[in-house]
Amino acid sequence: DADVTQTPRNRITKTGKRIMLECSQTKGHDRMYWYRQDPGLGLRLIYYSFDVKDINKGEISDGYSVSRQAQAKFSLSLESAIPNQTALYFCATSDRVNYGYTFGSGTRLTVV
Amino acid sequence: AQKITQTQPGMFVQEKEAVTLDCTYDTSDPSYGLFWYKQPSSGEMIFLIYQGSYDQQNATEGRYSLNFQKARKSANLVISASQLGDSAMYFCAMWGDMRFGAGTRLTVKP
């Protein structure tokens, strides 16, 4: 099994629908992150969490919300999806000691 | 805010030659780290190499090395002896800042 698992892998949804992207990890890392990737823009941080009771906005949090249900689970919600939220979404984890992020395989979201 | 800049949207290199991918950064923190990740067409993010600001020597990992010039705030990735499988997107990122550069698409020509 992958260290960081994202579900679903692909999703097509309609404008205005609520959608949740889920992330779970077996790394035992404290820190979890949600990024979105758009062509030419690299990865941009949506939200991050340094522990279960800690949630922080990233540079592009508008239109998104998150929930850290447990140390191992961090989900991203789009309350009312819009077409410009079409992107590749990555969940990542890290710990306090070792440098570097462990990424999930990504969720390709299309909003029509 | 801290910033990561990759100025090369696309690069081409001949197989077996070396290539340098540029990354500059802006930070006022004395302690920081820089990463490079590879993203092949399959989409996954693969960690390549890490350089800490206090590391005395430039980082190397196999065919990957970092040309770290602290005074210039640059951390360029050097890939030696390019292979066809090196064709991918490459991202530079700063530890602690959680920001990534826009990426460089490398194409290795046979």
Side-chain angles (χ1 to χ4, degrees), chain A residues 9 31 33 35 37 40-43 45 48 50 59 88 90 94-95 98-105, chain B residues 31 35 37 39 41-47 50 89 91 93-103:
Chain A
R9 291 295 308 274
R31 302 177 176 191
Y33 312 80
Y35 286 91
Q37 182 181 6
L41 296 177
L43 279 74
L45 184 64
Y48 64 100
F50 283 179
E59 57 181 312
L88 179 59
F90 283 103
S94 69
D95 67 22
N98 299 303
Y99 300 114
Y101 304 95
T102 301
F103 282 88
S105 298
Chain B
S31 178
F35 300 93
Y37 283 82
Q39 185 183 42
S41 58
S42 52
E44 72 266 33
M45 295 288 286
I46 302 167
F47 168 78
Y50 169 79
M89 284 290 292
F91 294 98
M94 181 177 287
W95 180 246
D97 182 52
M98 299 171 281
R99 290 179 185 257
F100 284 72

Side-chain angles (χ1 to χ4, degrees), chain A residues 49-61:
Chain A
S49 168
F50 283 179
D51 65 40
V52 175
K53 295 182 180 180
D54 176 76
I55 301 287
N56 304 281
K57 292 183 178 181
E59 57 181 312
I60 55 161
S61 58

Side-chain angles (χ1 to χ4, degrees), chain A residues 17-30:
Chain A
K17 293 289 188 183
R18 183 179 189 276
I19 182 169
M20 179 181 288
L21 309 184
E22 301 195 19
C23 177
S24 63
Q25 52 121 341
T26 58
K27 299 284 290 184
H29 286 169
D30 295 327

Side-chain angles (χ1 to χ4, degrees), chain A:
Chain A
D1 287 345
D3 292 328
V4 181
T5 302
Q6 289 185 237
T7 55
R9 291 295 308 274
N10 292 282
R11 180 75 180 266
I12 301 173
T13 192
K14 293 185 178 179
T15 297
K17 293 289 188 183
R18 183 179 189 276
I19 182 169
M20 179 181 288
L21 309 184
E22 301 195 19
C23 177
S24 63
Q25 52 121 341
T26 58
K27 299 284 290 184
H29 286 169
D30 295 327
R31 302 177 176 191
M32 298 187 74
Y33 312 80
W34 276 103
Y35 286 91
R36 69 175 274 177
Q37 182 181 6
D38 299 278
L41 296 177
L43 279 74
R44 292 182 292 164
L45 184 64
I46 307 172
Y47 270 95
Y48 64 100
S49 168
F50 283 179
D51 65 40
V52 175
K53 295 182 180 180
D54 176 76
I55 301 287
N56 304 281
K57 292 183 178 181
E59 57 181 312
I60 55 161
S61 58
D62 287 349
Y64 301 95
S65 63
V66 291
S67 173
R68 184 85 183 263
Q69 301 95 322
Q71 188 202 34
K73 295 184 182 293
F74 192 38
S75 40
L76 176 73
S77 293
L78 287 66
E79 296 301 326
S80 179
I82 57 177
N84 77 0
Q85 291 177 313
T86 293
L88 179 59
Y89 290 84
F90 283 103
C91 175
T93 72
S94 69
D95 67 22
R96 303 176 199 186
V97 177
N98 299 303
Y99 300 114
Y101 304 95
T102 301
F103 282 88
S105 298
T107 294
R108 190 166 296 280
L109 176 66
T110 303
V111 183
V112 298

